[in-house]
Every structure is written in structure tokens, then in C-alpha cells.
Amino acid sequence: MDSILSPNYNPELCLLDSRSSCSWFPIFRKSFTVHFGGLGKSGFAVRSSTSVMGSREDYSKPKIVTGDYGYVLEDVPHLTDYLPHLPTYPNPLQDNPAYSVVKQYFVHVDDTVPQKIVVHKDSPRGVHFRRAGPRQKVYFESDEVHACIVTCGGLCPGLNTVIRELVCGLYHMYGVKRVLGIDGGYRGFYARNTIPLTPKVVNDIHKRGGTILGTSRGGHDTVKIVDSIQDRGINQVYIIGGDGTQKGASVIFEEVRRRGLKVAVVGIPKTIDNDIPVIDKSFGFDTAVEEAQRAINAAHVEAESIENGIGLVKLMGRYSGFIAMHATLASRDVDCCLIPESPFYLEGEGGLFEYIEKRLKEHGHMVIVIAEGAGQELLSESIRTMTKQDASGNKLLQDVGLWLSQSIKDYFSKRKKMTINLKYIDPTYMIRAIPSNASDNVYCTLLAQSAVHGAMAGYTGYTSGLVNGRQTYIPFYRIIEKQHQVVITDRMWARLLSSTHQPSFLSAKDIMEDKIEESLKEKQEGGQTYQLLDNGNCRSEVLLKEEVTSQ
Ligand SMILES: Nc1ncnc2c1ncn2[C@@H]1O[C@H](COP(=O)(O)OP(=O)(O)O)[C@@H](O)[C@H]1O
Ligand SMILES: O=P(O)(O)OC[C@H]1O[C@](O)(COP(=O)(O)O)[C@@H](O)[C@@H]1O
Ligand SMILES: [Mg+2]
């Protein structure tokens, strides 16, 4: 089988062929194998390879391209998958004075980005994603485009920057003049007015927190949304939001494709919790971590200024403790970081109370950071919320910070008869309601421009995201299949433990089980299943399993 990198491969040539109504697939097939088939849970294993010339339904399956040495491209859908005779046009960027001087400005059609960059000499090349960027041919004429932008879910620093750069990118790079803002999230498609967006309207918005379009949870009605897209004549939909939003975008895309509309549906990942898989991190995450540190600094100042001072800071993180972990690592003033992925307990040997007592005896003060989703299982039934979910179906959490403050106070004053001074700081919304910092602003720009290039090039059903530092197009199903969480058997969590000196709250057996789980997950994803030992040798997950079962 030839690799996708074979010089024979030129989808643009193939697509030109398709215009002249002859089948492009035979040329395509010469170079590599395309599968519109089922994926394993991990999305790695190509199980079936159906004929591309088959029925329309085939196009709704993942688009997998395989090549030499275990190369796999998890490609994104293209409008021509279901509208094969679309005309193409030269990319207007070729005449743009800002860009035409750039050598090799257009992305090579064969460029892809590996999901895993650490490989062994004999490991397969693994999963790749299509590299983002401008293509030589586009599938929309400038005055034909009618784009819309919507923001959904919770706030995140940088939302306004992404909106600004989508509008400016469409205007300045592609001469697109019609861009609509959808007011107030998904429900705004069918319940509210729209906001016309021009470079003038969005000029200063990156300096403000929040989203000028407004946002909401719940209210996703696929049929009504696609009706609205169709009725308004919208043909590029840019959807900015988190894991819930991307699920919504995916079903909008499916409905658009089912109706056979020439509409590109593009997701831009937004997640302050950093809980979206595949991508390196979300825009706004660095800004949020920076702001979280200000709260930690305050907690530290308060704690060290008073006898047996304890500063407790609660940070966002419903299921994923990335903000807490990164803010702790960055701050170095934190003595204990508690996240949803690492269960903890209060009483007894190795518990939190024992550690607090020890720390206070040694240092006279301490700082604890807790992610909002940590320790939820410890909160008693009575204080668990009556309403279990928000409008989007996300679990509603109790204030673990308040509960922990009270538990620590009760333990030391009532049971240990020891005076402690606990200050609880809850900067929850402060870390996400601010404008993005400089590096997030640049990140937002690249993300938005990549999203625009992809839609203009006819790609659809994808999330624009950073993978290993490169902009890529990721099919929706990879973005929504699972949640990204801190792996407590990874080096990053080990670094944190060694920086805070906190107990791991895990038994040796727990650790081994976690390692096996992670190792098996990696195996499913086609990665290496070997763990590097101190002596440089490797051991497989089979050996790990044996070790656990024998304990
Ligand atoms: N499984 C789903 N299918 C369709 N729409 C969804 C789904 N989950 C969430 N949504 C919609 O996505 C929007 C944002 O979701 P939410 O979970 O609140 O925030 P986020 O996108 O930031 O995770 C809401 O309007 C919600 O109705
Ligand atoms: O009060 P709200 O708006 O529901 O937001 C709270 C939630 O928003 C988040 O910051 C992010 O959630 P989303 O990514 O789902 O928007 C969570 O950490 C937090 O639980
Ligand atoms: Mg979410």
C-alpha cells in the first residue's frame, strides 16, 4: 500500500476530476486506502473498509486513511463527500499583499500532524490529523459566504478574541462581508435576534472578558437550529464552546449533511477546565491559571501572617483538575492540591487531617487548593443539591470548599482542641470572566484563522485545535468521545506531589490498578503499552497486571 505521502496523492486533482463528473476514487485509491468504516472505541483501529463509491450513508462514518508503517489519518469530512460536483475557486489569499509574499503560504495537501510525538523506533506511525491552514483552492466565493458565529456554555477568557479574529479573518483574508452573531448560545438560533458583525464592531472586543454575543446552557434543538441556518441562508457556522457545545455541533453537522446542504460546520474548542481531549490545551486556560495564582498568593499571605493559618482556595474544575494542578505547580506556595481525579480522605493514617497537623507543626501555616469537583463523594447526602443537573445536563456540584473549611475547623477546634485560622477564598468566576492574556490572544488568532481556512477549503464537521503545537482539523467524534482528565500516574501529577509533599491518598494497589488502566487505554489508542523502568528496561502491562493480582 502506498503512503498518503505518495506523490500520486492530490485530492485537489481528484476533486477537479469529480467536477467533470468522472469518478475520482480510482485515482485516489491508487495512492492509499480510504476507509469510511467503524472505529474502535479509541478511534484507532480501522475495522472495516467499505467502498467509497457506496451509498451516501457511507459518508457518515469516520473517514480513515491508512498508509505505510501503521500510518493512520483520521480525516475530517469535506462538503464534496456528499456534494461531489461543487466548483472550486482560486484562494483569494494568493493576491493578498500581506500573505502572497510568504513562501509556501498554502498548506501542502498531504500535510498531517501526528497525535503522538514520542515514538519508539519500531512503533507504528500512529494516528494523524489533517494540518490546518489555507488551501490553494476554495469552495466558496467571497460574496457567496454568509457566516454565523455562536458562543455556548460557560465563559472562558479569549471568547471575544476568537469572535474578533473570525470576523477579521473572514473579512480581510477572504473578502467575506456577511457575518452574523447569534445572540445567547444555541437557543439564539431560533429564539433571538442576530447581531451583524464587522471588523469595526469587533475592533476592541478582545480587551473585554466574556462574550459580546452572550451565551447559555441548554436549549439545543437540532431541527430548529438547522431550519434557522437554512432559512437565513447561512453557509458557514462557527460554533465556539466546550465539550457539550461540540456534541451539539456534531449533531448539527449530521443534520446539515442529512439535508445535503452546502454548509460548513466548524467547532472551536473552549474549555476553562481543559477537559476536551486530543487538543494540547484550550485558549484561556493559561489566563485562568495566572488569575488563579493571584488567589493562591492572597491565601498564602493570609496564612503565613497568623498562627496556624490555613489558606484554602477553591478553583474551577468540574471533572478535571487541570486548573488546580497547573496553578499549584506554578505557585509553589501550595502544600496540598485536591482534584476530582485523585480521591482523598480526611481521617486516619495518610488522611488530610493528619497531613494538615504535620504541616502546621512544621511550618506554622499551609495553603490548600481544591478543585470544585474534588471530594464530592465525601459530602454527605444531606448537603448534596436537590437539583442534580444544569440546563445542559452537567452535574451540579455542592460547594466542596465550604464543606472542607467547616470540616477542618470542626476537627481541629472540637476534636484536637487546637486553634487554627482558616481563610477560605473562592475566586471561581474571577478566573474566567477576564480578558485573555497576550499568549492566549495569539493562540485565539491562530485558532480562529485556522477555522476560517478550513471552512473556505470545504472542510466541515471538524474542530479546529492545537495538537503538539500545530493547528489541525479534528473530526468531531474524536473531540466528543471522552473527557480529558489529569492522569494521576503521569509525571505531571508526580511533579505536583513532589512539590507539595502531600500524601497521594492512594494505596500501592490503587496506584498499580491506575497504571494498568492507563496502559490498557494507551494500548487501545495504538500507543506503547510498555512502561520504562528505572533501569531503562521496559515491562508490559501483562507484567503489571500479574504484579497487581499477586498482591
Ligand atoms: N449531548 C448534547 N447534544 C446536543 N447538544 C448538547 C449536548 N450537550 C450539551 N449540548 C448543548 O451545548 C451547549 C453548551 O453545553 P454546556 O455543557 O453547557 O457547556 P460546554 O459546551 O462549555 O461544555 C448547551 O446549549 C447544550 O444544550
Ligand atoms: O455557573 P456556571 O455558568 O454553570 O459555570 C460553572 C461551570 O463552568 C465551568 O467553568 C466550565 O464548564 P463548561 O466548560 O461546561 O462551560 C465549570 O468548571 C463550572 O462547574
Ligand atoms: Mg463542559
Side-chain angles (χ1 to χ4, degrees):
M1 177 194 310
D2 289 338
S3 148
I4 189 174
L5 299 177
S6 148
N8 296 339
Y9 169 53
N10 185 344
E12 280 172 3
L13 181 69
C14 305
L15 293 162
L16 281 173
D17 245 43
S18 78
R19 263 198 303 160
S20 56
S21 87
C22 74
S23 137
W24 51 270
F25 182 63
I27 306 171
F28 203 53
R29 194 165 43 185
K30 243 191 255 166
S31 328
F32 57 86
T33 304
V34 182
H35 308 259
F36 284 87
L39 278 181
K41 191 166 171 267
S42 67
F44 181 82
V46 176
R47 283 217 228 96
S48 64
S49 127
T50 60
S51 162
V52 171
M53 299 308 287
S55 65
R56 176 180 275 195
E57 277 83 336
D58 290 338
Y59 296 117
S60 65
K61 305 264 171 57
K63 214 168 144 186
I64 308 296
V65 180
T66 54
D68 291 343
Y69 308 109
Y71 174 94
V72 176
L73 167 64
E74 291 201 23
D75 207 356
V76 292
H78 194 274
L79 292 171
T80 53
D81 291 347
Y82 61 96
L83 297 170
H85 304 297
L86 289 179
T88 58
Y89 311 93
N91 191 324
L93 277 171
Q94 70 188 29
D95 306 318
N96 183 315
Y99 297 101
S100 55
V101 291
V102 180
K103 211 172 143 210
Q104 287 199 325
Y105 186 70
F106 295 111
V107 166
H108 192 278
V109 287
D110 288 342
D111 281 357
T112 60
V113 178
Q115 183 174 14
K116 282 183 191 249
I117 46 170
V118 179
V119 290
H120 293 192
K121 71 178 187 326
D122 50 358
S123 59
R125 292 175 65 196
V127 170
H128 293 64
F129 298 110
R130 197 166 273 288
R131 183 182 171 198
R135 268 51 183 179
Q136 229 141 11
K137 297 257 174 279
V138 294
Y139 283 79
F140 291 93
E141 281 183 298
S142 306
D143 53 7
E144 171 197 356
V145 177
H146 189 195
C148 77
I149 305 172
V150 63
T151 51
C152 312
L155 293 183
C156 184
L159 280 167
N160 279 334
T161 315
V162 174
I163 296 168
R164 183 188 191 279
E165 297 310 321
L166 285 171
V167 175
C168 293
L170 283 161
Y171 258 73
H172 299 314
M173 296 192 301
Y174 289 100
V176 171
K177 301 280 185 295
R178 290 185 301 160
V179 187
L180 273 187
I182 304 295
D183 192 359
Y186 277 133
R187 69 184 75 224
F189 271 105
Y190 53 88
R192 298 244 203 141
N193 295 328
T194 51
I195 305 158
L197 297 172
T198 60
K200 198 163 170 224
V201 169
V202 298
N203 188 40
D204 279 344
I205 63 172
H206 60 294
K207 296 175 186 163
R208 281 181 253 159
T211 157
I212 57 153
L213 301 179
T215 184
S216 63
R217 298 196 187 272
H220 181 102
D221 184 325
T222 315
V223 172
K224 280 194 193 171
I225 291 170
V226 181
D227 283 350
S228 160
I229 289 170
Q230 213 171 346
D231 293 346
R232 292 177 204 269
I234 290 167
N235 49 20
Q236 291 187 5
V237 185
Y238 296 94
I239 302 174
I240 313 169
D243 55 339
T245 306
Q246 303 300 314
K247 285 177 194 152
S250 171
V251 288
I252 290 172
F253 162 66
E254 292 302 337
E255 180 61 16
V256 160
R257 179 162 57 181
R258 197 187 63 74
R259 296 188 192 185
L261 306 176
K262 187 190 174 188
V263 176
V265 182
V266 182
I268 296 156
K270 167 247 48 154
T271 157
I272 200 164
D273 292 353
N274 212 29
D275 55 3
I276 294 186
V278 185
I279 61 170
D280 293 353
K281 66 179 171 186
S282 162
F283 68 83
F285 178 73
D286 283 353
T287 307
V289 169
E290 221 167 87
E291 191 65 13
Q293 273 203 88
R294 290 155 59 91
I296 296 173
N297 281 345
H300 185 238
V301 169
E302 288 286 343
E304 70 174 354
S305 309
I306 193 158
E307 193 188 348
N308 286 338
I310 301 176
L312 174 62
V313 180
K314 186 185 76 171
L315 295 173
M316 280 197 168
R318 200 188 273 127
Y319 306 107
S320 309
F322 287 103
I323 297 177
M325 177 170 84
H326 282 255
T328 296
L329 275 167
S331 147
R332 293 167 179 89
D333 284 333
V334 180
D335 302 280
C336 187
C337 173
L338 303 166
I339 59 169
E341 297 88 336
S342 178
F344 66 96
Y345 53 96
L346 300 179
E347 312 236 2
E349 204 186 317
L352 183 62
F353 291 154
E354 183 192 77
Y355 175 62
I356 294 175
E357 196 174 343
K358 176 170 160 273
R359 210 67 187 162
L360 290 179
K361 277 192 185 133
E362 287 167 3
H363 295 274
H365 69 275
M366 77 177 294
V367 175
I368 303 172
V369 165
I370 186 160
E372 62 178 335
Q376 288 290 317
E377 67 288 351
L378 299 177
L379 274 70
S380 73
E381 262 310 318
S382 59
I383 61 166
R384 280 204 195 129
T385 183
M386 300 298 285
T387 319
K388 302 278 187 210
Q389 292 183 335
D390 69 14
S392 296
N394 299 304
K395 193 165 74 180
L396 274 181
L397 304 173
Q398 267 304 318
D399 191 334
V400 73
L402 273 182
W403 167 81
L404 188 60
S405 305
Q406 203 51 52
S407 307
I408 294 171
K409 282 179 191 164
D410 287 350
Y411 177 80
F412 284 100
S413 64
K414 292 183 189 152
R415 292 175 45 196
K416 294 300 257 187
K417 309 284 178 224
M418 184 175 154
T419 306
I420 57 147
N421 282 292
L422 189 145
K423 307 282 194 258
Y424 173 40
I425 300 182
D426 179 355
T428 303
Y429 293 102
M430 292 179 64
I431 69 166
R432 72 174 200 188
I434 49 173
S436 46
N437 67 15
S439 77
D440 272 331
N441 266 335
V442 175
Y443 180 12
C444 291
T445 306
L446 298 185
L447 207 52
Q449 291 189 354
S450 298
V452 169
H453 291 313
M456 291 302 296
Y459 292 113
T460 179
Y462 66 89
T463 299
S464 179
L466 200 67
V467 175
N468 295 317
R470 308 310 293 256
Q471 296 287 337
T472 66
Y473 301 136
I474 306 157
F476 281 143
Y477 66 87
R478 284 305 305 269
I479 288 291
I480 63 179
E481 71 180 346
K482 62 180 179 194
Q483 219 146 24
H484 183 217
Q485 288 197 301
V486 173
V487 177
I488 59 168
T489 47
D490 258 9
R491 284 189 189 82
M492 209 59 174
W493 189 244
R495 277 183 200 114
L496 180 138
L497 293 181
S498 99
S499 140
T500 60
H501 307 292
Q502 71 190 68
S504 73
F505 304 106
L506 287 174
S507 67
K509 189 164 180 278
D510 288 335
I511 294 171
M512 197 57 80
E513 277 169 3
D514 274 345
K515 278 188 177 163
I516 290 172
E517 206 178 300
E518 275 315 309
S519 173
L520 290 174
K521 248 192 241 164
E522 276 220 354
K523 189 181 177 191
Q524 277 181 341
E525 283 165 15
Q528 292 302 303
T529 58
Y530 296 93
Q531 181 201 7
L532 201 60
L533 296 174
D534 290 344
N535 62 9
N537 292 331
C538 293
R539 63 178 170 185
S540 72
E541 93 277 0
V542 178
L543 286 175
L544 282 168
K545 198 166 211 163
E546 279 167 7
E547 281 172 38
V548 171
T549 41
S550 66
Q551 273 181 14

